[in-house]
Amino acid sequence: MAYIIGDACISCGACESECPVECISAGDDQYVIDADSCIECGSCADVCPVEAPCAE
């Protein structure tokens, strides 16, 4: 299952630059992951300081 970014997101952008398929973008209130493009590699979760990205 694709990763999602939870409410803990602080919009720091650390995850966006780490995504190898560039499926993370800035949303209105926090970053979002395009579930159709996510390859479930976990790179976003590895760099997040607040553990916002998680597997659905």
Side-chain angles (χ1 to χ4, degrees):
M1 298 188 100
Y3 275 69
I4 59 167
I5 297 180
D7 292 338
C9 179
I10 57 172
S11 298
C12 68
C15 58
E16 183 179 26
S17 62
E18 289 298 314
C19 181
V21 293
E22 300 178 354
C23 70
I24 301 174
S25 60
D28 292 336
D29 297 327
Q30 65 187 35
Y31 279 79
V32 293
I33 296 175
D34 176 11
D36 293 332
S37 301
C38 180
I39 60 171
E40 304 170 35
C41 66
S43 294
C44 55
D46 291 341
V47 298
C48 182
V50 294
E51 299 177 4
C54 60
E56 275 189 306

